[in-house]
Amino acid sequence: MNKFIPFALPDIGEQEIAEVVDSLRSGWLTTGPKTKRFEQDFAEFVGNGVEAIAVNSATSGLHLALEAIGIEPGDEVITTVHTFTATAEVIRYLGANPVFVDIDLTTLNIDVTKIEAAITSRTKAIMPVHFAGLACDMEAILQIAQKYQLKVIEDAAHAIPTTYQGQLIGSLNSDVTVYSFYATKTIATGEGGMLVTRNPEIAKRCRIMRLHGINRDAFDRYTATKPSWYYEIVAPGFKYNMTDIAASLGIHQLKKVWELQKQRKAIANRYDLELANLPLHLPAKPPNEDIHSWHLYVIRLDDSVKVSRNTFIAQMAAKGIGCSVHYIPLHLQPYWRDTYNLRTEQFPCASYAYERIVSLPIYTKMTESDQIRIIEIVKKNLNCSE
Ligand SMILES: *Cc1c(COP(=O)(O)O)cnc(C)c1O
């Protein structure tokens, strides 16, 4: 019996382990020097003068970003249906409403030609998601945002490292970009996230709200004239800080970010080559020399394929291959569907894609023989093996 090939696996090395042990021995379990170092390293990695603020998840980071730009009850934020619920739920945390837009069938990213029609007098922001690690058409999105005076918050949970027109996601002209270090993402800290912005006011608000609304200016132990026990609460903040244990992982994961991307790209390239002549639609490639993070490798079964997507995944599982579906679009989820009366016909591309998409395993620890086995089983399940 062959071993089970999971859908995703983190790649934690000895340096990460040693750094975590060092933190445990140091006595700094929560936010401390390692978190600060991870923030500095991350800001340097993104470049273009951003500040980086470490949080305990991308969900927290997106919530902080929307709060900091002033999203209020009744406001509207435009986003995609083809995403994880976190993207939209943070809008509801603030009593605002997501306005969902359909996707482009090739890229599975938000269809930028449909954004303007979704804008109303209540629209305050656009939240693009760089699905699978392929950048959205940011030029179009930023142009629309400028024209209608909207903020742009990028959900970059999949996008480390991803570039758009040669620039890393996070260094563009949007207001805030948020990354995830959840266990299955391209760099992982178990749970964790990072928010980056070039706007000092947004950064300040996010730092305060990240930790109970404590204004740090009032209690900086090294420069303040106030005693070290003194602090001021200026808002009902959240508990969204990153621990030094997580930051210990992040520091070393970030050092390997390009090497990990290279390995993911090699896996994507082999899939592209070996699956090329099958009744499948392969993932869209970035234009020019841009970088895809290859967080996910999502194929779409052609209409000529006889087996259903569900049967295809069940057959893969029966042969020991873990596949998944990214995502069940939000308009089909009971909460979103019923709260906003969403209908399948409003999202023809996302609805069509959902019935046919399969995420194949992609992770850096996958061996060549594992991948060859996956490819053989895909061919067999499509009745295309020789
Ligand atoms: C994983 C993910 C999130 C949430 O990330 P967490 O760090 O788990 O909060 C948000 N958006 C997308 C698109 C994701 O894939």
Side-chain angles (χ1 to χ4, degrees), residues 228-279:
S228 62
W229 50 262
Y230 184 79
Y231 59 85
E232 282 174 5
I233 302 298
V234 297
F238 309 106
K239 184 72 202 297
Y240 284 169
N241 55 306
M242 175 179 274
T243 68
D244 264 24
I245 299 170
S248 297
L249 297 169
I251 287 165
H252 294 283
Q253 289 274 288
L254 183 63
K255 283 196 205 323
K256 298 193 283 196
V257 65
W258 293 111
E259 178 56 34
L260 296 173
Q261 191 275 342
K262 214 188 291 173
Q263 292 174 36
R264 285 181 176 274
K265 184 170 197 259
I267 292 167
N269 285 350
R270 176 173 284 120
Y271 277 141
D272 282 351
L273 192 71
E274 298 291 333
L275 304 177
N277 296 311
L278 303 179

Side-chain angles (χ1 to χ4, degrees), residues 8-310:
L9 258 190
D11 192 338
I12 300 298
E14 290 307 317
Q15 286 166 318
E16 285 89 326
I17 293 168
E19 198 71 52
V20 169
V21 171
D22 180 70
S23 285
L24 297 177
R25 293 195 200 286
S26 79
W28 267 112
L29 298 187
T30 183
T31 314
K34 301 270 173 85
T35 303
K36 194 159 191 176
R37 192 168 125 206
F38 185 31
E39 288 181 338
Q40 285 165 349
D41 291 354
F42 204 92
E44 203 169 296
F45 161 73
V46 173
N48 205 16
V50 298
E51 273 188 74
I53 297 167
V55 284
N56 61 359
S57 72
T59 308
S60 310
L62 291 167
H63 183 197
L64 288 177
L66 292 178
E67 200 276 341
I69 63 166
I71 297 297
E72 289 181 350
D75 286 347
E76 291 177 357
V77 179
I78 293 173
T79 192
T80 170
V81 278
H82 195 77
T83 187
F84 185 56
T85 194
T87 314
E89 80 191 16
V90 293
I91 300 167
R92 295 294 301 130
Y93 289 0
L94 294 159
N97 298 307
V99 174
F100 294 108
V101 169
D102 200 10
I103 52 168
D104 176 281
L105 190 57
T106 312
T107 63
L108 304 178
N109 277 330
I110 191 166
D111 184 342
V112 295
T113 66
K114 297 193 174 136
I115 292 177
E116 281 196 81
I119 294 172
T120 72
S121 58
R122 294 197 175 119
T123 309
K124 292 285 160 58
I126 308 172
M127 276 175 87
V129 178
H130 306 294
F131 179 75
L134 177 72
C136 292
D137 182 350
M138 289 306 294
E139 193 174 325
I141 291 168
L142 290 166
Q143 255 168 29
I144 295 167
Q146 191 169 34
K147 182 170 164 191
Y148 294 91
Q149 299 286 300
L150 307 176
K151 304 284 188 198
V152 177
I153 309 292
E154 295 175 70
D155 179 341
H158 300 181
I160 320 174
T162 291
T163 66
Y164 177 75
Q165 294 179 354
Q167 275 188 276
L168 269 180
I169 290 299
S171 68
L172 307 174
N173 270 336
S174 58
D175 295 276
V176 186
T177 301
V178 179
Y179 308 85
S180 174
F181 311 130
Y182 179 68
T184 60
K185 302 284 158 79
T186 54
I187 72 174
T189 65
E191 301 284 357
M194 193 72 80
L195 178 157
V196 307
T197 179
R198 280 187 295 145
N199 180 320
E201 263 119 67
I202 291 176
K204 186 172 179 212
R205 180 69 181 178
C206 290
R207 282 189 201 283
I208 289 170
M209 296 307 280
R210 171 177 64 172
L211 197 66
H212 301 298
I214 296 173
N215 189 345
R216 295 168 61 91
D217 294 347
F219 93 143
D220 186 327
R221 284 194 279 166
Y222 304 104
T223 60
T225 50
K226 302 249 167 47
S228 62
W229 50 262
Y230 184 79
Y231 59 85
E232 282 174 5
I233 302 298
V234 297
F238 309 106
K239 184 72 202 297
Y240 284 169
N241 55 306
M242 175 179 274
T243 68
D244 264 24
I245 299 170
S248 297
L249 297 169
I251 287 165
H252 294 283
Q253 289 274 288
L254 183 63
K255 283 196 205 323
K256 298 193 283 196
V257 65
W258 293 111
E259 178 56 34
L260 296 173
Q261 191 275 342
K262 214 188 291 173
Q263 292 174 36
R264 285 181 176 274
K265 184 170 197 259
I267 292 167
N269 285 350
R270 176 173 284 120
Y271 277 141
D272 282 351
L273 192 71
E274 298 291 333
L275 304 177
N277 296 311
L278 303 179
L280 295 175
H281 300 267
L282 300 180
K285 304 301 170 299
N288 308 317
E289 298 292 298
D290 269 320
I291 293 164
H292 192 309
S293 74
W294 293 112
H295 166 52
L296 300 173
Y297 189 92
V298 179
I299 57 170
R300 174 160 56 85
L301 306 182
D302 187 72
D303 288 345
S304 64
V305 173
K306 293 291 183 297
V307 293
S308 72
R309 186 274 313 279
N310 294 358

Side-chain angles (χ1 to χ4, degrees), residues 305-323:
V305 173
K306 293 291 183 297
V307 293
S308 72
R309 186 274 313 279
N310 294 358
T311 304
F312 180 89
I313 290 180
Q315 285 173 350
M316 296 296 288
K319 299 270 169 53
I321 314 291
C323 293

